[in-house]
Amino acid sequence: MAAPQYQKTKRSRPKNAKGTLLRIFRYMMRYHFIILFLLLCAFASNIGNLLGPKFAGKAIGAAGAGAGQVDFDTVYYYAKLMLAAYLGSNILSFLVNQGMMRVSRHIAHRMRKDVFDKLMTLPVKFFDRNQAGDIMSRVSYDIDVVSTCLSTDVVQILTSLVTVVGSLVMMCAISLPLTSCMLVTIPLSLAYTRYKSKKTRPLYSRRSAAYGQMNGYVEEMFAGQKTILAYAYENDVCEDFSEVNHAAADAYRDADRVGMTAGPTVGFINNLGLSLIGLVGALLFLWGMVDLEQISSFVLYSRKFSGPINEIANILNEIYSALSAAERVFALLDEEEEVPDRPEAEELTDVQGAVETSHVSFGYVPGHTVLHDLNLSAQPGQTVAIVGHTGAGKTTIINLLMRFYDPDTGTISVDGKETFDLTRGSLRRAYAMVLQDTWVFQGTIFDNIAYGKEGATMEEVVAVARAARIHGYISRLPQGYNTVISEGGGNISKGQKQLLTIARAMLYNTHMLILDEATSNVDTNTEQQVQRAMQELMKGRTSFVIAHRLSTIQNADKILVVDQGDVVEQGTHESLMAQKGFYYNLYAAQFE
């Protein structure tokens, strides 16, 4: 088993950073009043930070008025003002951080709800071609990255811009010659930040993709844990995971290695500017062009000016990471949904169960047809069995009947109405399904059986459980029908899960039934009991049965023999055995 390889594709650069930012902004606008209030608080906090250096300069000026001429009252006055400004600024900053943290959680909640709602509208083919772990990564990790960015970085960047502009204005008011020193390093800082952004953006996008692949691999291995243990393949899986983990770690390292150099480099450039200010300021002081108060205030404002630029350089890396994560989330939200029902589509009601396919052909991949010219007719109440080798196209027929996929050519009709002219919901509700891959959810046994019928009573649930031959097992449980099934049904056997799904289908009052290896996980004795129950279930219902055990479908009204996408034979068990063809050979192979 080879571990999936992490591909460094050219697609890793965000396609539309502006569009992604706009969509995030739309989520934020749901809370525009709160965000506006927080921005006003942040603005007031920055005003306090900007007043602090001014008061400090006044205090230093009063302390350095001349030898032995310290004006202590003035120093104390401005010192208290400076303390009040910084204290008020920090309190407001704390409130802003707490407020944005709450807003970001609400935005993350809304995004996850939108993603989950979207997943419920996507066609089956989306889940066929995407790993469950990668989808989970978008729902959890990627949205967490966006939420973290919103809670800490967005407001910080906006307030930093206020600080930078305010500091620049104050510096210009103090001394234009000293301000000109900053103009030497500012363009250099901006040019370097822009250069690094082009380098880091694709790396963070690749990092998100690598984490999605890693989560997909982990989910796949956990799902097959028993098989791994059965084949003693633990060491190989650990080695394969090590490769996937290394790929994700390398992607993380590459992004951080390039991104984390931005902050120190911008800081170094800003320190060069500060050194230049010190040199020029000393010369201006000697020439009598500035005094000690102005130099002190200017140096503090220069730190206020350069500090946010350095912070923005670091925050930009986190924003690029969030943009890459948000792009993956929005890519899922932009996935093409199931083709909507036609405007004139009608509800399928008063179902009789007559199903017919005419010259149906289909392929999962364009240009590769897996089902050729399928023609079948099932009258109300008939049982149609579909048999054939693995990969012959049996499950594909079921997918088309349920409109999980639409045929490339040909038509499918129910009660004389083409399925294209029926709503998908009403068509699918007309079928009850029992699949080989059983599905139960975390909840009581009663809830699992009653899943398909709203308002089901305990008497109805017990009745179908008896018919499915699982009532005895449920009765022996300490809490009976109120026993909680763990996630994925880990505390019951596969056979018991299959019996539960059979009972669920029995309770679901439909005129058509699909059974896909419905007794594959039960023992021979239980299978015979369930077969009798299934015969009762199928009475009066049009039933499509996929079976590998040919002994279970001998009483079918019609048997379709499928081979490589073609129906090579059809008829009753007796007529097909008399032909001594494909079906005869299948049957003989099982009972030799």
Side-chain angles (χ1 to χ4, degrees), residues 301-316:
Y301 278 122
S302 69
R303 298 301 294 175
K304 288 287 183 185
F305 180 85
S306 60
I309 293 179
N310 194 21
E311 291 175 0
I312 290 174
N314 288 319
I315 291 172
L316 282 177

Side-chain angles (χ1 to χ4, degrees), residues 8 64 138 193-194 232 249 350 373 425 461 495 572:
K8 294 186 177 182
R138 302 189 195 202
T193 302
R194 182 176 177 83
D350 299 325
D373 197 33
V461 169
T572 62

Side-chain angles (χ1 to χ4, degrees), residues 10 22 27 33 56 69 88 194 242 249 258 272 292-293 309 320 329 337 339 346 355-356 411 425 477 552 568 571:
K10 293 183 179 180
L22 181 61
Y27 275 97
F33 288 119
Q69 299 180 12
R194 182 176 177 83
S242 181
V258 176
L272 288 179
L292 187 59
E293 175 185 334
I309 293 179
Y320 294 141
V329 174
E337 299 180 4
V339 178
E346 58 181 289
V355 179
E356 185 173 351
T411 59
L477 295 173
T552 63
V568 293

Side-chain angles (χ1 to χ4, degrees), residues 134-418:
D134 182 62
I135 297 172
M136 290 300 300
S137 180
R138 302 189 195 202
V139 175
S140 57
Y141 171 75
D142 288 333
I143 292 181
D144 280 341
V145 171
V146 176
S147 175
T148 301
C149 177
L150 291 177
S151 63
T152 59
D153 299 335
V154 173
V155 171
Q156 191 167 352
I157 279 190
L158 294 175
T159 55
S160 294
L161 291 175
V162 174
T163 301
V164 168
V165 173
S167 298
L168 182 60
V169 171
M170 298 300 287
M171 287 189 297
C172 290
I174 293 171
S175 174
L176 287 175
L178 285 177
T179 305
S180 63
C181 297
M182 299 295 295
L183 299 179
V184 175
T185 55
I186 292 173
L188 188 59
S189 297
L190 295 176
Y192 179 77
T193 302
R194 182 176 177 83
Y195 165 76
K196 293 300 290 185
S197 71
K198 294 181 179 180
K199 294 288 186 182
T200 56
R201 206 180 299 172
L203 294 176
Y204 281 113
S205 184
R206 282 202 290 265
R207 185 177 78 174
S208 291
Y211 269 78
Q213 291 186 356
M214 181 179 69
N215 288 340
Y217 182 78
V218 170
E219 194 273 340
E220 183 181 7
M221 292 304 104
F222 283 172
Q225 184 185 22
K226 290 183 180 178
T227 302
I228 293 169
L229 295 176
Y231 283 88
Y233 209 72
E234 300 94 324
N235 292 335
D236 300 84
V237 169
C238 289
E239 291 176 3
D240 291 343
F241 175 74
S242 181
E243 294 180 21
V244 179
N245 190 26
H246 273 302
D250 289 345
Y252 200 102
R253 180 204 61 206
D254 292 343
D256 281 356
R257 182 186 62 193
V258 176
M260 293 181 70
T261 59
T265 304
V266 172
F268 173 73
I269 295 172
N270 291 333
N271 286 332
L272 288 179
L274 184 61
S275 300
L276 186 59
I277 290 171
L279 177 61
V280 175
L283 293 175
L284 294 176
F285 180 77
L286 291 175
W287 295 336
M289 298 179 65
V290 293
D291 57 23
L292 187 59
E293 175 185 334
Q294 291 174 307
I295 292 177
S296 301
S297 296
F298 193 93
V299 170
L300 291 173
Y301 278 122
S302 69
R303 298 301 294 175
K304 288 287 183 185
F305 180 85
S306 60
I309 293 179
N310 194 21
E311 291 175 0
I312 290 174
N314 288 319
I315 291 172
L316 282 177
N317 297 321
E318 299 176 13
I319 288 180
Y320 294 141
S321 176
L323 281 177
S324 298
E327 188 177 61
R328 280 166 45 83
V329 174
F330 293 140
L332 191 153
L333 290 174
D334 291 337
E335 281 287 340
E336 185 178 354
E337 299 180 4
E338 272 195 321
V339 178
D341 295 325
R342 293 178 178 178
E344 65 276 10
E346 58 181 289
E347 293 283 322
L348 180 59
T349 57
D350 299 325
V351 181
Q352 302 302 311
V355 179
E356 185 173 351
T357 71
S358 176
H359 302 291
V360 169
S361 297
F362 172 75
Y364 293 100
V365 179
H368 183 68
T369 304
V370 297
L371 201 63
H372 313 94
D373 197 33
L374 173 67
N375 295 279
L376 72 84
S377 178
Q379 299 304 314
Q382 281 191 336
T383 297
V384 178
I386 306 171
V387 301
H389 293 302
T390 300
K394 303 184 296 296
T395 302
T396 300
I397 295 175
I398 300 304
N399 286 337
L400 294 175
L401 292 178
M402 292 288 291
R403 277 201 76 186
F404 292 146
Y405 292 88
D406 286 325
D408 298 330
T409 60
T411 59
I412 302 174
S413 62
V414 176
D415 294 344
K417 303 172 183 177
E418 287 192 23

